[in-house]
């Protein structure tokens, strides 16, 4: 039995998650591997800790963290259907799960879990590719995803160090690492990822 974090405000939780915490966990158990669910719980916990430090809404941040990868294990056809049904940008069809599970995944959270909070849905949409205009909540989920305790890859310690300095520092570090990784492996880059990078990069003086 998975317990909800004790930091959550009961009234807010009921507003953010009309189906209730236990029903949402059951839905996640049915649609995600146990490894992915453990990652989502790690991001929830980490998002709560960062939200506390930056005086943000702890319940909203934790839930956005919990739900960020909700659609990660759906089939490509489900994403393609959703892109058509919701009339999302057709260019999305040129990408794959890496980009879809966040940008399109938010629609699964809205439809299946009845989550309507724009802040949570936006943080899910932005959690992989960022955005030139990231809210503090977007940044919390973006970084928590990268540094949660279950993560173990080259660079994770440097990312945790950057977070100890500031949330913005950690966002910049993570985005740079992601772009370097994608280029190294010759993977296509979603234009919004570049736009996020340009918004953070040093401007040229001219
Ligand atoms: P995860 O869902 O917890 O594994 O983490 P993320 O949602 O942050 O990232 C999922 C994958 O998407 C990672 O392998 C990233 O390198 C990759 N990714 C991030 N941005 C882009 C992009 O612009 N294009 C592509 N193709 N992949 C990306
Ligand atoms: Fe993800
Ligand atoms: Fe994730």
């Amino acid at each position: 039995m998975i317990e909800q974090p004790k930091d959550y405000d009961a009234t807010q939780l009921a507003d953010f998650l009309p189906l209730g915490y236990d029903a949402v966990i059951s839905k996640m158990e049915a649609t995600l591997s146990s490894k992915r669910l453990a990652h989502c719980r790690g991001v929830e916990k980490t998002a709560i800790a960062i939200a506390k430090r930056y005086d943000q809404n702890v319940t909203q941040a934790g839930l956005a963290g919990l739900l960020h990868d909700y659609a990660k294990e759906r089939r490509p056809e489900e994403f393609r259907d959703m892109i058509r049904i919701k009339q999302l940008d057709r260019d999305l069809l040129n990408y794959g799960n890496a980009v879809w599970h966040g940008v399109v995944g938010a629609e699964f959270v809205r439809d299946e879990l009845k989550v309507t909070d724009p802040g949570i849905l936006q943080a899910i949409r932005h959690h992989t590719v960022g955005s030139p205009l990231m809210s503090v909540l977007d940044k919390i989920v973006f970084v928590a995803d990268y540094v949660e305790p279950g993560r173990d890859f080259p660079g994770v310690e440097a990312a945790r160090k950057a977070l100890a300095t500031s949330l913005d520092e950690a966002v910049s570090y993570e985005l740079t690492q992601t772009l370097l990784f994608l280029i190294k492996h010759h993977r296509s880059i979603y234009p919004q990822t570049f736009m996020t990078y340009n918004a953070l990069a040093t401007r040229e003086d001219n």
Side-chain angles (χ1 to χ4, degrees), residues 36 39 43 64 67-70 72 98-103 105 121-131 134 138 141-143 145-146 151 174 192:
R36 181 61 52 182
H39 163 67
V43 177
L67 299 174
H68 81 288
D69 275 344
Y70 177 72
K72 182 89 179 184
V99 169
W100 292 340
H101 81 278
V103 177
L121 295 173
Q122 178 176 298
I124 295 169
R125 238 179 266 124
H126 291 169
H127 91 264
T128 310
V129 300
S131 157
M134 290 174 88
D138 292 353
V141 176
F142 187 82
V143 170
D145 185 21
Y146 207 70
R151 291 290 209 198
E174 176 184 337
Q192 193 172 318

PDB file of all heavy atoms in Angstrom, residues 36 39 43 64 67-70 72 98-103 105 121-131 134 138 141-143 145-146 151 174 192:
ATOM      1  N   ARG A  36       9.214   2.254 -13.175  1.00  0.00           N
ATOM      2  CA  ARG A  36       8.777   3.599 -13.561  1.00  0.00           C
ATOM      3  C   ARG A  36       7.972   4.248 -12.441  1.00  0.00           C
ATOM      4  O   ARG A  36       8.123   5.433 -12.155  1.00  0.00           O
ATOM      5  CB  ARG A  36       7.964   3.520 -14.864  1.00  0.00           C
ATOM      6  CG  ARG A  36       7.468   4.828 -15.418  1.00  0.00           C
ATOM      7  CD  ARG A  36       8.539   5.835 -15.792  1.00  0.00           C
ATOM      8  NE  ARG A  36       9.572   5.307 -16.660  1.00  0.00           N
ATOM      9  CZ  ARG A  36      10.631   6.003 -17.093  1.00  0.00           C
ATOM     10  NH1 ARG A  36      10.805   7.262 -16.751  1.00  0.00           N
ATOM     11  NH2 ARG A  36      11.530   5.433 -17.880  1.00  0.00           N
ATOM     12  N   HIS A  39      10.269   5.521  -9.868  1.00  0.00           N
ATOM     13  CA  HIS A  39      10.866   6.784 -10.338  1.00  0.00           C
ATOM     14  C   HIS A  39       9.893   7.946 -10.112  1.00  0.00           C
ATOM     15  O   HIS A  39      10.280   9.004  -9.616  1.00  0.00           O
ATOM     16  CB  HIS A  39      11.248   6.648 -11.817  1.00  0.00           C
ATOM     17  CG  HIS A  39      11.489   7.946 -12.521  1.00  0.00           C
ATOM     18  ND1 HIS A  39      12.558   8.785 -12.220  1.00  0.00           N
ATOM     19  CD2 HIS A  39      10.788   8.582 -13.507  1.00  0.00           C
ATOM     20  CE1 HIS A  39      12.502   9.856 -13.001  1.00  0.00           C
ATOM     21  NE2 HIS A  39      11.439   9.765 -13.784  1.00  0.00           N
ATOM     22  N   VAL A  43      10.446  11.299  -7.927  1.00  0.00           N
ATOM     23  CA  VAL A  43      10.307  12.668  -8.434  1.00  0.00           C
ATOM     24  C   VAL A  43       9.308  13.433  -7.556  1.00  0.00           C
ATOM     25  O   VAL A  43       9.511  14.615  -7.248  1.00  0.00           O
ATOM     26  CB  VAL A  43       9.890  12.672  -9.924  1.00  0.00           C
ATOM     27  CG1 VAL A  43       9.681  14.101 -10.427  1.00  0.00           C
ATOM     28  CG2 VAL A  43      10.944  11.977 -10.774  1.00  0.00           C
ATOM     29  N   ALA A  64       2.542  17.058  -9.430  1.00  0.00           N
ATOM     30  CA  ALA A  64       3.106  17.219 -10.782  1.00  0.00           C
ATOM     31  C   ALA A  64       4.282  16.249 -10.955  1.00  0.00           C
ATOM     32  O   ALA A  64       4.436  15.617 -12.008  1.00  0.00           O
ATOM     33  CB  ALA A  64       3.554  18.666 -10.999  1.00  0.00           C
ATOM     34  N   LEU A  67       2.998  12.621 -11.357  1.00  0.00           N
ATOM     35  CA  LEU A  67       2.287  12.346 -12.613  1.00  0.00           C
ATOM     36  C   LEU A  67       3.110  12.619 -13.873  1.00  0.00           C
ATOM     37  O   LEU A  67       2.636  12.356 -14.982  1.00  0.00           O
ATOM     38  CB  LEU A  67       0.991  13.172 -12.660  1.00  0.00           C
ATOM     39  CG  LEU A  67      -0.011  12.859 -11.532  1.00  0.00           C
ATOM     40  CD1 LEU A  67      -1.191  13.825 -11.593  1.00  0.00           C
ATOM     41  CD2 LEU A  67      -0.484  11.408 -11.618  1.00  0.00           C
ATOM     42  N   HIS A  68       4.343  13.126 -13.720  1.00  0.00           N
ATOM     43  CA  HIS A  68       5.064  13.638 -14.893  1.00  0.00           C
ATOM     44  C   HIS A  68       5.264  12.577 -15.983  1.00  0.00           C
ATOM     45  O   HIS A  68       5.240  12.899 -17.164  1.00  0.00           O
ATOM     46  CB  HIS A  68       6.414  14.257 -14.485  1.00  0.00           C
ATOM     47  CG  HIS A  68       7.500  13.259 -14.276  1.00  0.00           C
ATOM     48  ND1 HIS A  68       7.545  12.406 -13.195  1.00  0.00           N
ATOM     49  CD2 HIS A  68       8.570  12.938 -15.048  1.00  0.00           C
ATOM     50  CE1 HIS A  68       8.601  11.622 -13.304  1.00  0.00           C
ATOM     51  NE2 HIS A  68       9.242  11.913 -14.413  1.00  0.00           N
ATOM     52  N   ASP A  69       5.475  11.315 -15.608  1.00  0.00           N
ATOM     53  CA  ASP A  69       5.702  10.249 -16.605  1.00  0.00           C
ATOM     54  C   ASP A  69       4.489   9.329 -16.740  1.00  0.00           C
ATOM     55  O   ASP A  69       4.632   8.163 -17.162  1.00  0.00           O
ATOM     56  CB  ASP A  69       6.930   9.397 -16.206  1.00  0.00           C
ATOM     57  CG  ASP A  69       8.246   9.999 -16.672  1.00  0.00           C
ATOM     58  OD1 ASP A  69       8.232  10.883 -17.551  1.00  0.00           O
ATOM     59  OD2 ASP A  69       9.304   9.568 -16.143  1.00  0.00           O
ATOM     60  N   TYR A  70       3.310   9.830 -16.397  1.00  0.00           N
ATOM     61  CA  TYR A  70       2.108   9.000 -16.382  1.00  0.00           C
ATOM     62  C   TYR A  70       1.902   8.232 -17.691  1.00  0.00           C
ATOM     63  O   TYR A  70       1.500   7.069 -17.692  1.00  0.00           O
ATOM     64  CB  TYR A  70       0.877   9.889 -16.094  1.00  0.00           C
ATOM     65  CG  TYR A  70      -0.431   9.151 -16.126  1.00  0.00           C
ATOM     66  CD1 TYR A  70      -0.771   8.260 -15.110  1.00  0.00           C
ATOM     67  CD2 TYR A  70      -1.326   9.321 -17.192  1.00  0.00           C
ATOM     68  CE1 TYR A  70      -1.966   7.559 -15.145  1.00  0.00           C
ATOM     69  CE2 TYR A  70      -2.520   8.631 -17.235  1.00  0.00           C
ATOM     70  CZ  TYR A  70      -2.836   7.752 -16.210  1.00  0.00           C
ATOM     71  OH  TYR A  70      -4.022   7.053 -16.253  1.00  0.00           O
ATOM     72  N   LYS A  72       4.189   7.475 -20.015  1.00  0.00           N
ATOM     73  CA  LYS A  72       5.473   7.020 -20.582  1.00  0.00           C
ATOM     74  C   LYS A  72       5.402   5.656 -21.281  1.00  0.00           C
ATOM     75  O   LYS A  72       6.130   5.395 -22.225  1.00  0.00           O
ATOM     76  CB  LYS A  72       6.506   6.959 -19.454  1.00  0.00           C
ATOM     77  CG  LYS A  72       7.897   6.544 -19.876  1.00  0.00           C
ATOM     78  CD  LYS A  72       8.753   7.700 -20.289  1.00  0.00           C
ATOM     79  CE  LYS A  72      10.142   7.229 -20.688  1.00  0.00           C
ATOM     80  NZ  LYS A  72      11.028   8.329 -21.013  1.00  0.00           N
ATOM     81  N   ALA A  98      10.024   9.861 -26.485  1.00  0.00           N
ATOM     82  CA  ALA A  98      10.807  10.756 -25.629  1.00  0.00           C
ATOM     83  C   ALA A  98      10.143  12.125 -25.528  1.00  0.00           C
ATOM     84  O   ALA A  98      10.061  12.705 -24.442  1.00  0.00           O
ATOM     85  CB  ALA A  98      12.237  10.879 -26.164  1.00  0.00           C
ATOM     86  N   VAL A  99       9.660  12.624 -26.668  1.00  0.00           N
ATOM     87  CA  VAL A  99       9.009  13.938 -26.685  1.00  0.00           C
ATOM     88  C   VAL A  99       7.518  13.807 -26.339  1.00  0.00           C
ATOM     89  O   VAL A  99       6.968  14.604 -25.576  1.00  0.00           O
ATOM     90  CB  VAL A  99       9.203  14.609 -28.063  1.00  0.00           C
ATOM     91  CG1 VAL A  99       8.328  15.849 -28.220  1.00  0.00           C
ATOM     92  CG2 VAL A  99      10.682  14.956 -28.282  1.00  0.00           C
ATOM     93  N   TRP A 100       6.865  12.788 -26.853  1.00  0.00           N
ATOM     94  CA  TRP A 100       5.414  12.641 -26.673  1.00  0.00           C
ATOM     95  C   TRP A 100       4.974  12.466 -25.223  1.00  0.00           C
ATOM     96  O   TRP A 100       3.941  12.976 -24.814  1.00  0.00           O
ATOM     97  CB  TRP A 100       4.904  11.424 -27.460  1.00  0.00           C
ATOM     98  CG  TRP A 100       4.970  11.558 -28.952  1.00  0.00           C
ATOM     99  CD1 TRP A 100       5.061  12.722 -29.681  1.00  0.00           C
ATOM    100  CD2 TRP A 100       4.939  10.477 -29.903  1.00  0.00           C
ATOM    101  NE1 TRP A 100       5.096  12.426 -31.025  1.00  0.00           N
ATOM    102  CE2 TRP A 100       5.022  11.072 -31.195  1.00  0.00           C
ATOM    103  CE3 TRP A 100       4.850   9.091 -29.788  1.00  0.00           C
ATOM    104  CZ2 TRP A 100       5.006  10.295 -32.363  1.00  0.00           C
ATOM    105  CZ3 TRP A 100       4.837   8.321 -30.952  1.00  0.00           C
ATOM    106  CH2 TRP A 100       4.916   8.923 -32.216  1.00  0.00           C
ATOM    107  N   HIS A 101       5.742  11.672 -24.457  1.00  0.00           N
ATOM    108  CA  HIS A 101       5.196  11.277 -23.141  1.00  0.00           C
ATOM    109  C   HIS A 101       4.959  12.471 -22.210  1.00  0.00           C
ATOM    110  O   HIS A 101       4.165  12.377 -21.286  1.00  0.00           O
ATOM    111  CB  HIS A 101       6.070  10.193 -22.490  1.00  0.00           C
ATOM    112  CG  HIS A 101       7.279  10.723 -21.804  1.00  0.00           C
ATOM    113  ND1 HIS A 101       8.440  11.045 -22.464  1.00  0.00           N
ATOM    114  CD2 HIS A 101       7.521  10.993 -20.502  1.00  0.00           C
ATOM    115  CE1 HIS A 101       9.333  11.484 -21.597  1.00  0.00           C
ATOM    116  NE2 HIS A 101       8.798  11.465 -20.393  1.00  0.00           N
ATOM    117  N   GLY A 102       5.653  13.593 -22.489  1.00  0.00           N
ATOM    118  CA  GLY A 102       5.388  14.798 -21.706  1.00  0.00           C
ATOM    119  C   GLY A 102       4.434  15.732 -22.430  1.00  0.00           C
ATOM    120  O   GLY A 102       3.345  16.053 -21.941  1.00  0.00           O
ATOM    121  N   VAL A 103       4.830  16.138 -23.638  1.00  0.00           N
ATOM    122  CA  VAL A 103       4.061  17.139 -24.397  1.00  0.00           C
ATOM    123  C   VAL A 103       2.638  16.636 -24.673  1.00  0.00           C
ATOM    124  O   VAL A 103       1.665  17.385 -24.545  1.00  0.00           O
ATOM    125  CB  VAL A 103       4.798  17.471 -25.721  1.00  0.00           C
ATOM    126  CG1 VAL A 103       4.001  18.456 -26.562  1.00  0.00           C
ATOM    127  CG2 VAL A 103       6.192  18.038 -25.430  1.00  0.00           C
ATOM    128  N   GLY A 105       1.576  13.598 -23.218  1.00  0.00           N
ATOM    129  CA  GLY A 105       1.194  12.845 -22.019  1.00  0.00           C
ATOM    130  C   GLY A 105       0.260  13.609 -21.094  1.00  0.00           C
ATOM    131  O   GLY A 105      -0.609  13.010 -20.436  1.00  0.00           O
ATOM    132  N   LEU A 121      -0.571  20.498 -15.369  1.00  0.00           N
ATOM    133  CA  LEU A 121      -0.566  20.019 -16.760  1.00  0.00           C
ATOM    134  C   LEU A 121       0.605  20.631 -17.536  1.00  0.00           C
ATOM    135  O   LEU A 121       1.276  19.946 -18.310  1.00  0.00           O
ATOM    136  CB  LEU A 121      -1.904  20.321 -17.435  1.00  0.00           C
ATOM    137  CG  LEU A 121      -3.109  19.578 -16.833  1.00  0.00           C
ATOM    138  CD1 LEU A 121      -4.420  20.076 -17.450  1.00  0.00           C
ATOM    139  CD2 LEU A 121      -2.990  18.060 -17.012  1.00  0.00           C
ATOM    140  N   GLN A 122       0.875  21.897 -17.283  1.00  0.00           N
ATOM    141  CA  GLN A 122       1.997  22.550 -17.980  1.00  0.00           C
ATOM    142  C   GLN A 122       3.343  21.957 -17.543  1.00  0.00           C
ATOM    143  O   GLN A 122       4.238  21.745 -18.373  1.00  0.00           O
ATOM    144  CB  GLN A 122       1.983  24.066 -17.718  1.00  0.00           C
ATOM    145  CG  GLN A 122       3.154  24.770 -18.387  1.00  0.00           C
ATOM    146  CD  GLN A 122       3.113  26.270 -18.215  1.00  0.00           C
ATOM    147  OE1 GLN A 122       2.188  26.941 -18.668  1.00  0.00           O
ATOM    148  NE2 GLN A 122       4.124  26.821 -17.557  1.00  0.00           N
ATOM    149  N   ALA A 123       3.488  21.686 -16.253  1.00  0.00           N
ATOM    150  CA  ALA A 123       4.752  21.107 -15.772  1.00  0.00           C
ATOM    151  C   ALA A 123       4.997  19.741 -16.407  1.00  0.00           C
ATOM    152  O   ALA A 123       6.138  19.386 -16.725  1.00  0.00           O
ATOM    153  CB  ALA A 123       4.744  21.006 -14.250  1.00  0.00           C
ATOM    154  N   ILE A 124       3.937  18.970 -16.614  1.00  0.00           N
ATOM    155  CA  ILE A 124       4.071  17.666 -17.284  1.00  0.00           C
ATOM    156  C   ILE A 124       4.494  17.885 -18.741  1.00  0.00           C
ATOM    157  O   ILE A 124       5.406  17.242 -19.252  1.00  0.00           O
ATOM    158  CB  ILE A 124       2.753  16.864 -17.191  1.00  0.00           C
ATOM    159  CG1 ILE A 124       2.452  16.520 -15.722  1.00  0.00           C
ATOM    160  CG2 ILE A 124       2.816  15.597 -18.061  1.00  0.00           C
ATOM    161  CD1 ILE A 124       1.065  15.969 -15.475  1.00  0.00           C
ATOM    162  N   ARG A 125       3.829  18.838 -19.407  1.00  0.00           N
ATOM    163  CA  ARG A 125       4.136  19.145 -20.811  1.00  0.00           C
ATOM    164  C   ARG A 125       5.584  19.589 -20.990  1.00  0.00           C
ATOM    165  O   ARG A 125       6.208  19.287 -21.992  1.00  0.00           O
ATOM    166  CB  ARG A 125       3.205  20.279 -21.271  1.00  0.00           C
ATOM    167  CG  ARG A 125       2.350  19.938 -22.446  1.00  0.00           C
ATOM    168  CD  ARG A 125       1.449  21.104 -22.827  1.00  0.00           C
ATOM    169  NE  ARG A 125       0.145  20.995 -22.200  1.00  0.00           N
ATOM    170  CZ  ARG A 125      -0.419  21.906 -21.431  1.00  0.00           C
ATOM    171  NH1 ARG A 125       0.176  23.052 -21.160  1.00  0.00           N
ATOM    172  NH2 ARG A 125      -1.601  21.684 -20.908  1.00  0.00           N
ATOM    173  N   HIS A 126       6.096  20.311 -20.015  1.00  0.00           N
ATOM    174  CA  HIS A 126       7.445  20.890 -20.140  1.00  0.00           C
ATOM    175  C   HIS A 126       8.542  20.038 -19.516  1.00  0.00           C
ATOM    176  O   HIS A 126       9.701  20.425 -19.559  1.00  0.00           O
ATOM    177  CB  HIS A 126       7.469  22.287 -19.480  1.00  0.00           C
ATOM    178  CG  HIS A 126       6.664  23.312 -20.226  1.00  0.00           C
ATOM    179  ND1 HIS A 126       6.373  24.559 -19.706  1.00  0.00           N
ATOM    180  CD2 HIS A 126       6.096  23.278 -21.462  1.00  0.00           C
ATOM    181  CE1 HIS A 126       5.657  25.249 -20.583  1.00  0.00           C
ATOM    182  NE2 HIS A 126       5.466  24.496 -21.658  1.00  0.00           N
ATOM    183  N   HIS A 127       8.206  18.876 -18.941  1.00  0.00           N
ATOM    184  CA  HIS A 127       9.209  18.212 -18.090  1.00  0.00           C
ATOM    185  C   HIS A 127      10.396  17.635 -18.864  1.00  0.00           C
ATOM    186  O   HIS A 127      11.469  17.465 -18.296  1.00  0.00           O
ATOM    187  CB  HIS A 127       8.564  17.149 -17.183  1.00  0.00           C
ATOM    188  CG  HIS A 127       8.516  15.769 -17.757  1.00  0.00           C
ATOM    189  ND1 HIS A 127       7.416  15.259 -18.401  1.00  0.00           N
ATOM    190  CD2 HIS A 127       9.437  14.779 -17.792  1.00  0.00           C
ATOM    191  CE1 HIS A 127       7.675  14.031 -18.791  1.00  0.00           C
ATOM    192  NE2 HIS A 127       8.890  13.704 -18.442  1.00  0.00           N
ATOM    193  N   THR A 128      10.247  17.343 -20.157  1.00  0.00           N
ATOM    194  CA  THR A 128      11.362  16.789 -20.945  1.00  0.00           C
ATOM    195  C   THR A 128      12.046  17.868 -21.778  1.00  0.00           C
ATOM    196  O   THR A 128      13.275  17.926 -21.822  1.00  0.00           O
ATOM    197  CB  THR A 128      10.856  15.673 -21.891  1.00  0.00           C
ATOM    198  OG1 THR A 128      10.076  14.748 -21.148  1.00  0.00           O
ATOM    199  CG2 THR A 128      12.018  14.947 -22.557  1.00  0.00           C
ATOM    200  N   VAL A 129      11.265  18.700 -22.456  1.00  0.00           N
ATOM    201  CA  VAL A 129      11.812  19.647 -23.434  1.00  0.00           C
ATOM    202  C   VAL A 129      11.905  21.075 -22.898  1.00  0.00           C
ATOM    203  O   VAL A 129      12.464  21.945 -23.563  1.00  0.00           O
ATOM    204  CB  VAL A 129      10.994  19.634 -24.751  1.00  0.00           C
ATOM    205  CG1 VAL A 129      11.014  18.239 -25.369  1.00  0.00           C
ATOM    206  CG2 VAL A 129       9.556  20.110 -24.541  1.00  0.00           C
ATOM    207  N   GLY A 130      11.369  21.314 -21.702  1.00  0.00           N
ATOM    208  CA  GLY A 130      11.384  22.652 -21.142  1.00  0.00           C
ATOM    209  C   GLY A 130      10.519  23.605 -21.928  1.00  0.00           C
ATOM    210  O   GLY A 130       9.635  23.182 -22.700  1.00  0.00           O
ATOM    211  N   SER A 131      10.790  24.886 -21.776  1.00  0.00           N
ATOM    212  CA  SER A 131      10.073  25.933 -22.487  1.00  0.00           C
ATOM    213  C   SER A 131      10.854  27.226 -22.274  1.00  0.00           C
ATOM    214  O   SER A 131      11.516  27.383 -21.240  1.00  0.00           O
ATOM    215  CB  SER A 131       8.662  26.075 -21.908  1.00  0.00           C
ATOM    216  OG  SER A 131       8.147  27.355 -22.178  1.00  0.00           O
ATOM    217  N   MET A 134       9.558  29.066 -18.485  1.00  0.00           N
ATOM    218  CA  MET A 134       9.227  28.032 -17.508  1.00  0.00           C
ATOM    219  C   MET A 134       8.780  28.663 -16.193  1.00  0.00           C
ATOM    220  O   MET A 134       9.440  29.569 -15.672  1.00  0.00           O
ATOM    221  CB  MET A 134      10.437  27.117 -17.259  1.00  0.00           C
ATOM    222  CG  MET A 134      10.766  26.221 -18.446  1.00  0.00           C
ATOM    223  SD  MET A 134      12.298  25.290 -18.188  1.00  0.00           S
ATOM    224  CE  MET A 134      11.657  23.833 -17.355  1.00  0.00           C
ATOM    225  N   ASP A 138       7.365  24.341 -13.252  1.00  0.00           N
ATOM    226  CA  ASP A 138       7.977  23.636 -14.399  1.00  0.00           C
ATOM    227  C   ASP A 138       9.422  23.270 -14.078  1.00  0.00           C
ATOM    228  O   ASP A 138       9.877  22.147 -14.339  1.00  0.00           O
ATOM    229  CB  ASP A 138       8.011  24.518 -15.656  1.00  0.00           C
ATOM    230  CG  ASP A 138       6.642  24.815 -16.248  1.00  0.00           C
ATOM    231  OD1 ASP A 138       5.645  24.244 -15.792  1.00  0.00           O
ATOM    232  OD2 ASP A 138       6.594  25.654 -17.178  1.00  0.00           O
ATOM    233  N   VAL A 141       9.837  20.349 -11.468  1.00  0.00           N
ATOM    234  CA  VAL A 141       9.608  19.002 -12.005  1.00  0.00           C
ATOM    235  C   VAL A 141      10.724  18.614 -12.977  1.00  0.00           C
ATOM    236  O   VAL A 141      11.222  17.486 -12.959  1.00  0.00           O
ATOM    237  CB  VAL A 141       8.212  18.908 -12.664  1.00  0.00           C
ATOM    238  CG1 VAL A 141       8.005  17.549 -13.313  1.00  0.00           C
ATOM    239  CG2 VAL A 141       7.124  19.173 -11.632  1.00  0.00           C
ATOM    240  N   PHE A 142      11.137  19.564 -13.802  1.00  0.00           N
ATOM    241  CA  PHE A 142      12.221  19.337 -14.766  1.00  0.00           C
ATOM    242  C   PHE A 142      13.480  18.850 -14.046  1.00  0.00           C
ATOM    243  O   PHE A 142      14.117  17.867 -14.451  1.00  0.00           O
ATOM    244  CB  PHE A 142      12.489  20.665 -15.493  1.00  0.00           C
ATOM    245  CG  PHE A 142      13.453  20.604 -16.650  1.00  0.00           C
ATOM    246  CD1 PHE A 142      13.022  20.184 -17.900  1.00  0.00           C
ATOM    247  CD2 PHE A 142      14.772  21.000 -16.505  1.00  0.00           C
ATOM    248  CE1 PHE A 142      13.900  20.156 -18.984  1.00  0.00           C
ATOM    249  CE2 PHE A 142      15.659  20.978 -17.573  1.00  0.00           C
ATOM    250  CZ  PHE A 142      15.221  20.549 -18.811  1.00  0.00           C
ATOM    251  N   VAL A 143      13.826  19.502 -12.956  1.00  0.00           N
ATOM    252  CA  VAL A 143      15.056  19.166 -12.224  1.00  0.00           C
ATOM    253  C   VAL A 143      14.858  17.936 -11.337  1.00  0.00           C
ATOM    254  O   VAL A 143      15.734  17.059 -11.279  1.00  0.00           O
ATOM    255  CB  VAL A 143      15.546  20.390 -11.409  1.00  0.00           C
ATOM    256  CG1 VAL A 143      16.658  19.991 -10.455  1.00  0.00           C
ATOM    257  CG2 VAL A 143      16.013  21.497 -12.356  1.00  0.00           C
ATOM    258  N   ASP A 145      13.049  15.424 -11.832  1.00  0.00           N
ATOM    259  CA  ASP A 145      13.090  14.266 -12.736  1.00  0.00           C
ATOM    260  C   ASP A 145      14.526  13.784 -12.944  1.00  0.00           C
ATOM    261  O   ASP A 145      14.801  12.598 -13.050  1.00  0.00           O
ATOM    262  CB  ASP A 145      12.471  14.702 -14.072  1.00  0.00           C
ATOM    263  CG  ASP A 145      12.324  13.578 -15.074  1.00  0.00           C
ATOM    264  OD1 ASP A 145      12.306  12.412 -14.669  1.00  0.00           O
ATOM    265  OD2 ASP A 145      12.205  13.881 -16.280  1.00  0.00           O
ATOM    266  N   TYR A 146      15.438  14.732 -12.990  1.00  0.00           N
ATOM    267  CA  TYR A 146      16.842  14.438 -13.304  1.00  0.00           C
ATOM    268  C   TYR A 146      17.628  13.975 -12.085  1.00  0.00           C
ATOM    269  O   TYR A 146      18.559  13.179 -12.224  1.00  0.00           O
ATOM    270  CB  TYR A 146      17.462  15.719 -13.870  1.00  0.00           C
ATOM    271  CG  TYR A 146      18.632  15.554 -14.813  1.00  0.00           C
ATOM    272  CD1 TYR A 146      18.456  15.031 -16.089  1.00  0.00           C
ATOM    273  CD2 TYR A 146      19.906  15.971 -14.453  1.00  0.00           C
ATOM    274  CE1 TYR A 146      19.523  14.922 -16.972  1.00  0.00           C
ATOM    275  CE2 TYR A 146      20.982  15.875 -15.325  1.00  0.00           C
ATOM    276  CZ  TYR A 146      20.777  15.346 -16.589  1.00  0.00           C
ATOM    277  OH  TYR A 146      21.840  15.249 -17.462  1.00  0.00           O
ATOM    278  N   ARG A 151      18.048   8.005  -9.481  1.00  0.00           N
ATOM    279  CA  ARG A 151      18.852   8.284 -10.678  1.00  0.00           C
ATOM    280  C   ARG A 151      20.321   8.005 -10.416  1.00  0.00           C
ATOM    281  O   ARG A 151      20.872   8.411  -9.389  1.00  0.00           O
ATOM    282  CB  ARG A 151      18.713   9.752 -11.091  1.00  0.00           C
ATOM    283  CG  ARG A 151      17.344  10.130 -11.620  1.00  0.00           C
ATOM    284  CD  ARG A 151      17.071   9.524 -12.962  1.00  0.00           C
ATOM    285  NE  ARG A 151      16.156  10.337 -13.756  1.00  0.00           N
ATOM    286  CZ  ARG A 151      15.491   9.878 -14.795  1.00  0.00           C
ATOM    287  NH1 ARG A 151      15.603   8.617 -15.163  1.00  0.00           N
ATOM    288  NH2 ARG A 151      14.689  10.677 -15.473  1.00  0.00           N
ATOM    289  N   GLU A 174      21.171  20.785 -16.659  1.00  0.00           N
ATOM    290  CA  GLU A 174      20.450  19.619 -17.194  1.00  0.00           C
ATOM    291  C   GLU A 174      20.173  19.777 -18.684  1.00  0.00           C
ATOM    292  O   GLU A 174      20.368  18.850 -19.475  1.00  0.00           O
ATOM    293  CB  GLU A 174      19.130  19.425 -16.425  1.00  0.00           C
ATOM    294  CG  GLU A 174      18.299  18.298 -16.999  1.00  0.00           C
ATOM    295  CD  GLU A 174      16.938  18.141 -16.324  1.00  0.00           C
ATOM    296  OE1 GLU A 174      16.778  18.569 -15.168  1.00  0.00           O
ATOM    297  OE2 GLU A 174      16.033  17.591 -16.980  1.00  0.00           O
ATOM    298  N   GLN A 192      11.386  22.930 -29.590  1.00  0.00           N
ATOM    299  CA  GLN A 192      11.187  23.598 -28.291  1.00  0.00           C
ATOM    300  C   GLN A 192      12.382  23.394 -27.350  1.00  0.00           C
ATOM    301  O   GLN A 192      12.670  24.250 -26.514  1.00  0.00           O
ATOM    302  CB  GLN A 192       9.897  23.098 -27.639  1.00  0.00           C
ATOM    303  CG  GLN A 192       9.485  23.972 -26.451  1.00  0.00           C
ATOM    304  CD  GLN A 192       8.122  23.598 -25.924  1.00  0.00           C
ATOM    305  OE1 GLN A 192       7.211  23.338 -26.697  1.00  0.00           O
ATOM    306  NE2 GLN A 192       7.990  23.569 -24.624  1.00  0.00           N
TER     307      GLN A 192
END
